[in-house]
Amino acid sequence: MMELPDLVTGGLAVGMLSALALGGGLLHAQRQQARQRAEIAALRLQLKDALQALTAEVEHLAAQRLPAAARQSTYPHVAVPGPLHPQTSGTPLGPALEQVLTGLRTELATQRTRIDAAAQAGMRGATREIQAALYRLQDALRGLQQKYDDPELAQTLFRLDHENEQSLRRAQVAAVVCGAWVGLAREESHLVDAVTGGQARLAGYHRIRVHNHLAAGTGLVSHAVEPVAIIVAELLDNALRHSAPDTDVVVNLEHVHHGVCVTVDDAGLGMTQDERARAQRLVAGSEPILLTELGDPPRMGLAAIGQLTRQFDLSVDLSSPSPYGGVRAVLRVDSHLLSRIDPDERPPAASAPRSTRKAPRDEASAESRDEASVGSHDEAAAASRGETSATSHGYGAEHDHDASGTVSGHHAPRDAGGLPQRRRRTRVTAASGDTPAPRPEARRPERAAAALGALQAGTSAARSAAGERADDASTAVPETARATRKRADITADDNDQTDHEGGTAR
């Protein structure tokens, strides 16, 4: 048997071992707990830093990136800033923030399109009413021009008619930008008439020099006449507004391989590269046009050109500077929009510049023979009636004699602007003997147009006053012709003094 002391000693040893084991386990647990506390503290610190970074990123998104993305929808050159911390792009947070920007852009585009469509619908309704009222006013003014022969009243009516024409052009351009039809359907016309028709709708039209290098009879199909006139008017309006009042705007009409080009050159300030790129984007018509993109107040000229080029398969180029230092605008009309009009049966307007393109020799000889025969026939008819003073005739029947006695017809010398001019025929009276008639002053195209309109008005008034008596009519016509020529000269002088309209139009 074991003795009691041995048992006690063994128990004490076992207890001591147990205590040591428990102490070691407790120490290990304390150390592990300390490590866990350190890890928790580090994680808390890391979470705090991540939260601060996320907060800063969201604040940067709200304060910088979202406003820039909203502005970029209106101004494409605006750059949208990236994330505040570049390392964010490599985390799931980066794509999430980009989705926020994409959603904003999509919603802004949707709402802008919806709001702009509503605004355009309202504009179309308003411009339709305005155009109708202006057309009625135009008819009333022309009725007054036909009714009254007073030169001062006629001068005032012509000025009012021109102002009304400019207002009508503004309303028409606004309607076109908003998606409305051009408003007029015309018959086939000479292309040069469409160009001069656009020129006549502008203030400062007397600064425009048109050089017609097209073959006689070059015309436009009916549905392209009004769009071409509108586009030319807007290009000329920009050229006039962005150049000095004492400079000219040069227009050249030329044949090209695929059709005809109308080139407009001004000597103005020109455009920067960004302005030129934006203008080319507008006139191309390849993108939808929003009213909010046209500035305040809206500049609708180039936007209207873009609408028409897309609708009628026309082409406008603004990418080249003008050799005069300003802007060169080129309108190209393709062959499928061109037609052929017999210039003998339907000649262009009297105010249209004559073509500088030389006809073949046989055609030129035939024309000269026709002109000589027409002149001889008119002189014989005048002699049989006993006329001794100059009398106005319709288009194509006027000839003049210079000091050498040669007939000029349509081949009159050019004026300072390089345009061929027609001259009124003058005859020598019996009392003048052999003294040749003085050379009349070359008239501007607008003076010729005014004279033609005045002649028509005077003829109508004379016929109304004379009734159906042939002898009364033959007596009234010369007096009316002299009165209308005086009225036309006064009107043309007034038109030459039209003030230049400043401001921006693009």
Side-chain angles (χ1 to χ4, degrees), residues 212-459:
N212 179 15
H213 307 300
L214 302 178
T218 303
L220 290 168
V221 296
S222 58
H223 65 272
V225 175
E226 188 62 16
V228 168
I230 295 175
I231 291 175
V232 170
E234 293 309 310
L235 293 178
L236 291 175
D237 185 57
N238 275 333
L240 291 172
R241 288 175 179 269
H242 292 85
S243 58
D246 57 346
T247 60
D248 291 339
V249 174
V250 180
V251 182
N252 286 285
L253 281 64
E254 297 176 301
H255 285 282
V256 295
H257 180 71
H258 294 291
V260 169
C261 277
V262 179
T263 305
V264 179
D265 286 303
D266 66 71
L269 299 175
M271 290 190 291
T272 64
Q273 185 174 359
D274 291 341
E275 291 174 339
R276 194 182 304 278
R278 177 181 179 275
Q280 186 62 41
R281 180 175 63 87
L282 286 175
V283 300
S286 57
E287 301 177 7
I289 298 174
L290 301 179
L291 294 178
T292 52
E293 297 178 347
L294 302 181
D296 184 18
R299 302 174 184 178
M300 298 187 176
L302 297 181
I305 293 175
Q307 290 276 38
L308 295 174
T309 55
R310 183 176 66 253
Q311 293 174 4
F312 295 93
D313 196 20
L314 297 164
S315 175
V316 173
D317 181 77
L318 299 174
S319 60
S320 302
S322 170
Y324 306 109
V327 175
R328 164 165 285 185
V330 181
L331 165 65
R332 194 185 73 201
V333 184
D334 289 338
S335 301
H336 68 277
L337 296 176
L338 299 177
S339 65
R340 169 71 181 173
I341 301 175
D342 190 343
D344 295 327
E345 295 182 0
R346 288 181 55 196
S351 59
R354 300 299 98 189
S355 174
T356 60
R357 192 183 185 96
K358 293 184 179 180
R361 181 172 300 178
D362 54 348
E363 294 181 6
S365 300
E367 289 180 1
S368 61
R369 288 195 301 269
D370 292 342
E371 289 179 1
S373 62
V374 170
S376 301
H377 176 75
D378 290 343
E379 291 177 0
S384 64
R385 291 194 301 267
E387 294 178 350
T388 58
S389 61
T391 307
S392 298
H393 296 277
Y395 174 81
E398 294 182 2
H399 303 275
D400 64 334
H401 298 268
D402 56 12
S404 61
T406 59
V407 180
S408 63
H410 291 308
H411 307 285
R414 301 171 184 265
D415 61 1
L419 296 178
Q421 299 292 325
R422 292 169 50 79
R423 293 181 180 176
R424 188 179 302 279
R425 182 178 64 212
T426 56
R427 292 193 179 91
V428 182
T429 60
S432 62
D434 296 334
T435 303
R439 181 190 298 270
E441 181 183 359
R443 293 183 301 168
R444 303 171 66 86
E446 58 267 22
R447 187 185 296 271
L452 182 62
L455 175 61
Q456 294 173 348
T459 304

Side-chain angles (χ1 to χ4, degrees), residues 435-486:
T435 303
R439 181 190 298 270
E441 181 183 359
R443 293 183 301 168
R444 303 171 66 86
E446 58 267 22
R447 187 185 296 271
L452 182 62
L455 175 61
Q456 294 173 348
T459 304
S460 176
R463 288 175 178 173
S464 300
E468 297 183 355
R469 294 180 55 190
D471 53 345
D472 292 340
S474 62
T475 305
V477 169
E479 291 296 327
T480 307
R482 286 192 293 271
T484 54
R485 284 198 299 272
K486 178 180 179 181

Side-chain angles (χ1 to χ4, degrees), residues 196-212:
T196 55
Q199 172 188 357
R201 304 177 185 184
L202 305 172
Y205 61 91
H206 54 279
R207 293 172 47 203
I208 301 171
R209 301 289 178 262
V210 181
H211 302 282
N212 179 15

